[in-house]
Amino acid sequence: MKVLVTYFSQSGNTEKIAKAICEEAAKAHTVELKKLEDVTPDEAAGYDFLFIGSPLHSANLAAPVKECLGALKPAAGQKMALFITHFAPAYPDQEMDGFAEPAKATCEKNGMAYKGCFDCQGYLADALHEPVKDKLSLDDDAWAGMVEQMTGRPNGEDEANAQAFAKKVLD
């Protein structure tokens, strides 16, 4: 099977997970790892399976990822899985379904099979700490706890979980 792992990443979190997924997929498939901006809709249509990665920005997929999903061409028989990173420790399952809606809608519109979404915590870029802390109205102690929780993420366990997800959806 020909697999594309593509992603949008500004801080390196989503890229780290993309590389873990690529490593696992390469064990049994022909795989390419590409930044989202380096993939055209025509090129994406030539793969049997797409993994598309995005950070969450204000509880939504990143704008370039939404644009990519909207530009994908119909590809009957093609499969897609989403992977996302976020700074929050966890989101309830129902919210995760909401984040994946654009991917699900793209799959339905284009005759593709949606295979699921992997998510994990990442480290929020330092430049965003104050704006996010203010937006969430957190005091210094609460914010320090959030920073401690996300420091070092995604970690080896997150990468192993991403690989397990890739193996599961590719089987």
Side-chain angles (χ1 to χ4, degrees), residues 54-61 84-100 117-122 124 132 135-136 146 149 153:
S54 177
L56 290 183
H57 290 169
S58 298
N60 288 293
L61 297 178
I84 58 176
T85 58
H86 45 81
F87 89 91
Y91 284 96
D93 288 340
Q94 67 273 14
E95 287 189 37
M96 200 52 58
D97 286 343
F99 300 140
C117 180
F118 174 78
D119 78 286
C120 77
Q121 187 173 24
L124 182 67
V132 170
K135 182 177 181 180
L136 297 176
M146 295 275 298
Q149 173 72 29
R153 305 292 299 271

mmCIF file of all heavy atoms in Angstrom, residues 54-61 84-100 117-122 124 132 135-136 146 149 153:
data_model
loop_
_atom_site.group_PDB
_atom_site.id
_atom_site.type_symbol
_atom_site.label_atom_id
_atom_site.label_comp_id
_atom_site.label_asym_id
_atom_site.label_seq_id
_atom_site.Cartn_x
_atom_site.Cartn_y
_atom_site.Cartn_z
ATOM 1 N N SER A 54 -2.330 17.794 12.283
ATOM 2 C CA SER A 54 -2.598 19.200 12.563
ATOM 3 C C SER A 54 -2.476 19.484 14.049
ATOM 4 O O SER A 54 -2.895 18.668 14.881
ATOM 5 C CB SER A 54 -4.023 19.555 12.135
ATOM 6 O OG SER A 54 -4.353 20.893 12.456
ATOM 7 N N PRO A 55 -1.965 20.653 14.392
ATOM 8 C CA PRO A 55 -2.138 21.117 15.764
ATOM 9 C C PRO A 55 -3.550 21.679 15.897
ATOM 10 O O PRO A 55 -4.189 21.990 14.885
ATOM 11 C CB PRO A 55 -1.100 22.240 15.886
ATOM 12 C CG PRO A 55 -0.943 22.758 14.496
ATOM 13 C CD PRO A 55 -1.169 21.580 13.578
ATOM 14 N N LEU A 56 -4.029 21.779 17.120
ATOM 15 C CA LEU A 56 -5.289 22.485 17.341
ATOM 16 C C LEU A 56 -4.961 23.944 17.603
ATOM 17 O O LEU A 56 -4.076 24.255 18.399
ATOM 18 C CB LEU A 56 -6.053 21.900 18.528
ATOM 19 C CG LEU A 56 -6.641 20.519 18.335
ATOM 20 C CD1 LEU A 56 -7.431 20.096 19.575
ATOM 21 C CD2 LEU A 56 -7.517 20.432 17.100
ATOM 22 N N HIS A 57 -5.648 24.807 16.908
ATOM 23 C CA HIS A 57 -5.537 26.256 17.106
ATOM 24 C C HIS A 57 -6.897 26.753 17.559
ATOM 25 O O HIS A 57 -7.864 26.656 16.800
ATOM 26 C CB HIS A 57 -5.145 26.957 15.795
ATOM 27 C CG HIS A 57 -3.746 26.690 15.369
ATOM 28 N ND1 HIS A 57 -3.276 27.042 14.139
ATOM 29 C CD2 HIS A 57 -2.697 26.103 15.999
ATOM 30 C CE1 HIS A 57 -2.012 26.701 14.031
ATOM 31 N NE2 HIS A 57 -1.642 26.112 15.148
ATOM 32 N N SER A 58 -6.982 27.239 18.763
ATOM 33 C CA SER A 58 -8.257 27.710 19.327
ATOM 34 C C SER A 58 -9.348 26.657 19.158
ATOM 35 O O SER A 58 -10.449 26.943 18.694
ATOM 36 C CB SER A 58 -8.674 29.030 18.679
ATOM 37 O OG SER A 58 -7.719 30.030 18.935
ATOM 38 N N ALA A 59 -9.015 25.427 19.498
ATOM 39 C CA ALA A 59 -9.943 24.288 19.467
ATOM 40 C C ALA A 59 -10.443 23.948 18.065
ATOM 41 O O ALA A 59 -11.539 23.431 17.901
ATOM 42 C CB ALA A 59 -11.111 24.518 20.423
ATOM 43 N N ASN A 60 -9.625 24.226 17.052
ATOM 44 C CA ASN A 60 -9.943 23.869 15.668
ATOM 45 C C ASN A 60 -8.695 23.346 14.986
ATOM 46 O O ASN A 60 -7.576 23.671 15.389
ATOM 47 C CB ASN A 60 -10.420 25.105 14.886
ATOM 48 C CG ASN A 60 -11.794 25.540 15.301
ATOM 49 O OD1 ASN A 60 -12.762 24.838 15.063
ATOM 50 N ND2 ASN A 60 -11.884 26.696 15.943
ATOM 51 N N LEU A 61 -8.888 22.588 13.917
ATOM 52 C CA LEU A 61 -7.747 22.206 13.092
ATOM 53 C C LEU A 61 -7.104 23.472 12.556
ATOM 54 O O LEU A 61 -7.787 24.479 12.330
ATOM 55 C CB LEU A 61 -8.195 21.323 11.922
ATOM 56 C CG LEU A 61 -8.817 19.977 12.269
ATOM 57 C CD1 LEU A 61 -9.247 19.257 10.994
ATOM 58 C CD2 LEU A 61 -7.860 19.113 13.070
ATOM 59 N N ILE A 84 -3.661 14.708 15.664
ATOM 60 C CA ILE A 84 -3.628 16.088 16.137
ATOM 61 C C ILE A 84 -2.826 16.186 17.434
ATOM 62 O O ILE A 84 -2.719 15.230 18.197
ATOM 63 C CB ILE A 84 -5.040 16.662 16.353
ATOM 64 C CG1 ILE A 84 -5.838 15.845 17.348
ATOM 65 C CG2 ILE A 84 -5.790 16.784 15.041
ATOM 66 C CD1 ILE A 84 -7.195 16.422 17.678
ATOM 67 N N THR A 85 -2.277 17.373 17.634
ATOM 68 C CA THR A 85 -1.594 17.688 18.889
ATOM 69 C C THR A 85 -2.249 18.930 19.481
ATOM 70 O O THR A 85 -2.807 19.755 18.758
ATOM 71 C CB THR A 85 -0.084 17.933 18.666
ATOM 72 O OG1 THR A 85 0.095 18.996 17.735
ATOM 73 C CG2 THR A 85 0.608 16.672 18.159
ATOM 74 N N HIS A 86 -2.178 19.034 20.802
ATOM 75 C CA HIS A 86 -2.816 20.149 21.506
ATOM 76 C C HIS A 86 -2.116 20.337 22.835
ATOM 77 O O HIS A 86 -1.500 19.407 23.361
ATOM 78 C CB HIS A 86 -4.304 19.868 21.730
ATOM 79 C CG HIS A 86 -4.573 18.485 22.232
ATOM 80 N ND1 HIS A 86 -4.431 18.135 23.563
ATOM 81 C CD2 HIS A 86 -4.939 17.350 21.582
ATOM 82 C CE1 HIS A 86 -4.722 16.849 23.709
ATOM 83 N NE2 HIS A 86 -5.018 16.350 22.524
ATOM 84 N N PHE A 87 -2.206 21.517 23.411
ATOM 85 C CA PHE A 87 -1.508 21.772 24.669
ATOM 86 C C PHE A 87 -2.284 21.292 25.892
ATOM 87 O O PHE A 87 -1.716 21.069 26.942
ATOM 88 C CB PHE A 87 -1.139 23.254 24.812
ATOM 89 C CG PHE A 87 -2.206 24.085 25.455
ATOM 90 C CD1 PHE A 87 -2.222 24.280 26.826
ATOM 91 C CD2 PHE A 87 -3.212 24.663 24.695
ATOM 92 C CE1 PHE A 87 -3.225 25.041 27.428
ATOM 93 C CE2 PHE A 87 -4.196 25.421 25.267
ATOM 94 C CZ PHE A 87 -4.198 25.615 26.649
ATOM 95 N N ALA A 88 -3.580 21.138 25.760
ATOM 96 C CA ALA A 88 -4.391 20.729 26.907
ATOM 97 C C ALA A 88 -4.095 19.272 27.258
ATOM 98 O O ALA A 88 -3.809 18.468 26.378
ATOM 99 C CB ALA A 88 -5.872 20.909 26.592
ATOM 100 N N PRO A 89 -4.177 18.908 28.529
ATOM 101 C CA PRO A 89 -3.863 17.540 28.935
ATOM 102 C C PRO A 89 -4.769 16.496 28.286
ATOM 103 O O PRO A 89 -4.321 15.434 27.935
ATOM 104 C CB PRO A 89 -4.064 17.541 30.447
ATOM 105 C CG PRO A 89 -4.114 18.954 30.868
ATOM 106 C CD PRO A 89 -4.464 19.769 29.668
ATOM 107 N N ALA A 90 -6.042 16.802 28.126
ATOM 108 C CA ALA A 90 -6.971 15.826 27.541
ATOM 109 C C ALA A 90 -8.245 16.529 27.097
ATOM 110 O O ALA A 90 -8.598 17.582 27.615
ATOM 111 C CB ALA A 90 -7.319 14.753 28.559
ATOM 112 N N TYR A 91 -8.876 15.936 26.128
ATOM 113 C CA TYR A 91 -10.193 16.391 25.677
ATOM 114 C C TYR A 91 -11.146 15.211 25.781
ATOM 115 O O TYR A 91 -10.773 14.084 25.469
ATOM 116 C CB TYR A 91 -10.148 16.852 24.218
ATOM 117 C CG TYR A 91 -9.531 18.198 24.001
ATOM 118 C CD1 TYR A 91 -8.191 18.329 23.651
ATOM 119 C CD2 TYR A 91 -10.277 19.350 24.142
ATOM 120 C CE1 TYR A 91 -7.622 19.580 23.447
ATOM 121 C CE2 TYR A 91 -9.722 20.603 23.940
ATOM 122 C CZ TYR A 91 -8.391 20.701 23.587
ATOM 123 O OH TYR A 91 -7.836 21.938 23.388
ATOM 124 N N PRO A 92 -12.388 15.457 26.176
ATOM 125 C CA PRO A 92 -13.365 14.365 26.185
ATOM 126 C C PRO A 92 -13.563 13.822 24.771
ATOM 127 O O PRO A 92 -13.383 14.532 23.788
ATOM 128 C CB PRO A 92 -14.650 15.035 26.688
ATOM 129 C CG PRO A 92 -14.216 16.316 27.333
ATOM 130 C CD PRO A 92 -12.946 16.716 26.645
ATOM 131 N N ASP A 93 -13.931 12.556 24.669
ATOM 132 C CA ASP A 93 -14.095 11.913 23.360
ATOM 133 C C ASP A 93 -15.043 12.670 22.451
ATOM 134 O O ASP A 93 -14.812 12.775 21.259
ATOM 135 C CB ASP A 93 -14.594 10.475 23.524
ATOM 136 C CG ASP A 93 -13.512 9.571 24.073
ATOM 137 O OD1 ASP A 93 -12.318 9.927 23.968
ATOM 138 O OD2 ASP A 93 -13.863 8.511 24.611
ATOM 139 N N GLN A 94 -16.137 13.198 22.991
ATOM 140 C CA GLN A 94 -17.095 13.899 22.140
ATOM 141 C C GLN A 94 -16.459 15.130 21.491
ATOM 142 O O GLN A 94 -16.764 15.466 20.369
ATOM 143 C CB GLN A 94 -18.381 14.256 22.889
ATOM 144 C CG GLN A 94 -18.235 15.295 23.992
ATOM 145 C CD GLN A 94 -17.860 14.695 25.337
ATOM 146 O OE1 GLN A 94 -17.459 13.535 25.434
ATOM 147 N NE2 GLN A 94 -17.982 15.479 26.388
ATOM 148 N N GLU A 95 -15.567 15.804 22.192
ATOM 149 C CA GLU A 95 -14.888 16.945 21.596
ATOM 150 C C GLU A 95 -13.938 16.487 20.498
ATOM 151 O O GLU A 95 -13.791 17.131 19.478
ATOM 152 C CB GLU A 95 -14.139 17.755 22.653
ATOM 153 C CG GLU A 95 -15.069 18.561 23.543
ATOM 154 C CD GLU A 95 -14.316 19.519 24.438
ATOM 155 O OE1 GLU A 95 -13.300 20.088 23.998
ATOM 156 O OE2 GLU A 95 -14.752 19.695 25.572
ATOM 157 N N MET A 96 -13.259 15.359 20.686
ATOM 158 C CA MET A 96 -12.345 14.844 19.681
ATOM 159 C C MET A 96 -13.101 14.565 18.392
ATOM 160 O O MET A 96 -12.615 14.842 17.305
ATOM 161 C CB MET A 96 -11.657 13.578 20.199
ATOM 162 C CG MET A 96 -10.391 13.246 19.472
ATOM 163 S SD MET A 96 -9.220 14.615 19.382
ATOM 164 C CE MET A 96 -8.952 14.982 21.097
ATOM 165 N N ASP A 97 -14.298 14.021 18.511
ATOM 166 C CA ASP A 97 -15.122 13.790 17.330
ATOM 167 C C ASP A 97 -15.375 15.100 16.593
ATOM 168 O O ASP A 97 -15.353 15.147 15.371
ATOM 169 C CB ASP A 97 -16.461 13.143 17.701
ATOM 170 C CG ASP A 97 -16.311 11.683 18.079
ATOM 171 O OD1 ASP A 97 -15.266 11.086 17.754
ATOM 172 O OD2 ASP A 97 -17.239 11.148 18.715
ATOM 173 N N GLY A 98 -15.611 16.168 17.334
ATOM 174 C CA GLY A 98 -15.843 17.465 16.711
ATOM 175 C C GLY A 98 -14.624 17.976 15.970
ATOM 176 O O GLY A 98 -14.741 18.533 14.881
ATOM 177 N N PHE A 99 -13.440 17.780 16.535
ATOM 178 C CA PHE A 99 -12.218 18.223 15.863
ATOM 179 C C PHE A 99 -12.016 17.481 14.543
ATOM 180 O O PHE A 99 -11.474 18.017 13.593
ATOM 181 C CB PHE A 99 -10.984 17.996 16.746
ATOM 182 C CG PHE A 99 -11.026 18.720 18.057
ATOM 183 C CD1 PHE A 99 -10.578 18.109 19.212
ATOM 184 C CD2 PHE A 99 -11.516 20.013 18.151
ATOM 185 C CE1 PHE A 99 -10.613 18.768 20.433
ATOM 186 C CE2 PHE A 99 -11.555 20.680 19.363
ATOM 187 C CZ PHE A 99 -11.102 20.055 20.511
ATOM 188 N N ALA A 100 -12.451 16.237 14.503
ATOM 189 C CA ALA A 100 -12.255 15.404 13.311
ATOM 190 C C ALA A 100 -13.342 15.604 12.255
ATOM 191 O O ALA A 100 -13.223 15.077 11.152
ATOM 192 C CB ALA A 100 -12.192 13.938 13.718
ATOM 193 N N CYS A 117 -8.899 9.071 14.482
ATOM 194 C CA CYS A 117 -8.082 10.228 14.858
ATOM 195 C C CYS A 117 -7.233 9.894 16.074
ATOM 196 O O CYS A 117 -7.752 9.384 17.064
ATOM 197 C CB CYS A 117 -8.986 11.420 15.160
ATOM 198 S SG CYS A 117 -8.094 12.919 15.643
ATOM 199 N N PHE A 118 -5.952 10.180 15.980
ATOM 200 C CA PHE A 118 -5.034 10.047 17.112
ATOM 201 C C PHE A 118 -4.782 11.444 17.648
ATOM 202 O O PHE A 118 -4.582 12.386 16.876
ATOM 203 C CB PHE A 118 -3.714 9.414 16.669
ATOM 204 C CG PHE A 118 -2.689 9.390 17.764
ATOM 205 C CD1 PHE A 118 -2.762 8.438 18.769
ATOM 206 C CD2 PHE A 118 -1.680 10.339 17.821
ATOM 207 C CE1 PHE A 118 -1.836 8.422 19.808
ATOM 208 C CE2 PHE A 118 -0.754 10.336 18.848
ATOM 209 C CZ PHE A 118 -0.832 9.377 19.844
ATOM 210 N N ASP A 119 -4.769 11.581 18.967
ATOM 211 C CA ASP A 119 -4.443 12.887 19.535
ATOM 212 C C ASP A 119 -3.482 12.724 20.683
ATOM 213 O O ASP A 119 -3.464 11.682 21.346
ATOM 214 C CB ASP A 119 -5.697 13.628 19.992
ATOM 215 C CG ASP A 119 -6.210 13.119 21.319
ATOM 216 O OD1 ASP A 119 -6.788 12.022 21.359
ATOM 217 O OD2 ASP A 119 -6.027 13.825 22.325
ATOM 218 N N CYS A 120 -2.675 13.733 20.881
ATOM 219 C CA CYS A 120 -1.800 13.736 22.049
ATOM 220 C C CYS A 120 -1.440 15.166 22.430
ATOM 221 O O CYS A 120 -1.534 16.091 21.623
ATOM 222 C CB CYS A 120 -0.548 12.900 21.835
ATOM 223 S SG CYS A 120 0.714 13.668 20.838
ATOM 224 N N GLN A 121 -1.029 15.278 23.659
ATOM 225 C CA GLN A 121 -0.609 16.581 24.160
ATOM 226 C C GLN A 121 0.754 16.938 23.600
ATOM 227 O O GLN A 121 1.615 16.084 23.427
ATOM 228 C CB GLN A 121 -0.559 16.557 25.688
ATOM 229 C CG GLN A 121 -0.295 17.913 26.291
ATOM 230 C CD GLN A 121 -0.414 17.889 27.808
ATOM 231 O OE1 GLN A 121 -0.265 16.858 28.441
ATOM 232 N NE2 GLN A 121 -0.696 19.035 28.375
ATOM 233 N N GLY A 122 0.917 18.210 23.289
ATOM 234 C CA GLY A 122 2.203 18.743 22.862
ATOM 235 C C GLY A 122 2.550 19.935 23.732
ATOM 236 O O GLY A 122 1.767 20.348 24.586
ATOM 237 N N LEU A 124 3.069 23.803 24.191
ATOM 238 C CA LEU A 124 2.646 25.067 23.605
ATOM 239 C C LEU A 124 3.859 25.977 23.435
ATOM 240 O O LEU A 124 4.652 26.136 24.369
ATOM 241 C CB LEU A 124 1.615 25.736 24.519
ATOM 242 C CG LEU A 124 1.003 27.051 24.054
ATOM 243 C CD1 LEU A 124 0.124 26.813 22.821
ATOM 244 C CD2 LEU A 124 0.176 27.667 25.170
ATOM 245 N N VAL A 132 -2.525 32.590 26.030
ATOM 246 C CA VAL A 132 -3.400 31.466 26.388
ATOM 247 C C VAL A 132 -3.742 31.523 27.875
ATOM 248 O O VAL A 132 -4.899 31.323 28.261
ATOM 249 C CB VAL A 132 -2.752 30.117 26.001
ATOM 250 C CG1 VAL A 132 -3.533 28.950 26.589
ATOM 251 C CG2 VAL A 132 -2.664 30.002 24.485
ATOM 252 N N LYS A 135 -6.347 34.135 28.183
ATOM 253 C CA LYS A 135 -7.620 33.714 27.597
ATOM 254 C C LYS A 135 -8.356 32.750 28.517
ATOM 255 O O LYS A 135 -9.578 32.792 28.633
ATOM 256 C CB LYS A 135 -7.390 33.062 26.232
ATOM 257 C CG LYS A 135 -8.664 32.640 25.546
ATOM 258 C CD LYS A 135 -8.407 32.063 24.180
ATOM 259 C CE LYS A 135 -9.722 31.683 23.535
ATOM 260 N NZ LYS A 135 -9.557 31.128 22.221
ATOM 261 N N LEU A 136 -7.587 31.874 29.174
ATOM 262 C CA LEU A 136 -8.191 30.901 30.078
ATOM 263 C C LEU A 136 -8.416 31.456 31.490
ATOM 264 O O LEU A 136 -8.959 30.766 32.346
ATOM 265 C CB LEU A 136 -7.310 29.648 30.161
ATOM 266 C CG LEU A 136 -7.137 28.870 28.859
ATOM 267 C CD1 LEU A 136 -6.162 27.723 29.050
ATOM 268 C CD2 LEU A 136 -8.484 28.375 28.341
ATOM 269 N N MET A 146 -0.189 23.732 34.359
ATOM 270 C CA MET A 146 -0.406 23.386 32.946
ATOM 271 C C MET A 146 0.927 23.251 32.216
ATOM 272 O O MET A 146 1.121 22.322 31.434
ATOM 273 C CB MET A 146 -1.265 24.455 32.256
ATOM 274 C CG MET A 146 -2.671 24.575 32.770
ATOM 275 S SD MET A 146 -3.860 23.434 32.050
ATOM 276 C CE MET A 146 -3.861 23.852 30.348
ATOM 277 N N GLN A 149 2.601 20.049 33.105
ATOM 278 C CA GLN A 149 1.911 18.920 32.459
ATOM 279 C C GLN A 149 2.340 18.753 31.006
ATOM 280 O O GLN A 149 2.485 17.642 30.517
ATOM 281 C CB GLN A 149 0.392 19.140 32.547
ATOM 282 C CG GLN A 149 -0.437 18.137 31.784
ATOM 283 C CD GLN A 149 -0.457 16.767 32.422
ATOM 284 O OE1 GLN A 149 -0.326 16.637 33.629
ATOM 285 N NE2 GLN A 149 -0.617 15.751 31.619
ATOM 286 N N ARG A 153 6.360 17.046 26.158
ATOM 287 C CA ARG A 153 5.383 16.376 25.289
ATOM 288 C C ARG A 153 5.496 16.904 23.866
ATOM 289 O O ARG A 153 5.854 18.035 23.673
ATOM 290 C CB ARG A 153 3.959 16.622 25.804
ATOM 291 C CG ARG A 153 3.704 16.235 27.246
ATOM 292 C CD ARG A 153 3.734 14.764 27.582
ATOM 293 N NE ARG A 153 2.765 13.932 26.909
ATOM 294 C CZ ARG A 153 1.556 13.675 27.349
ATOM 295 N NH1 ARG A 153 1.126 14.179 28.481
ATOM 296 N NH2 ARG A 153 0.762 12.887 26.661
#
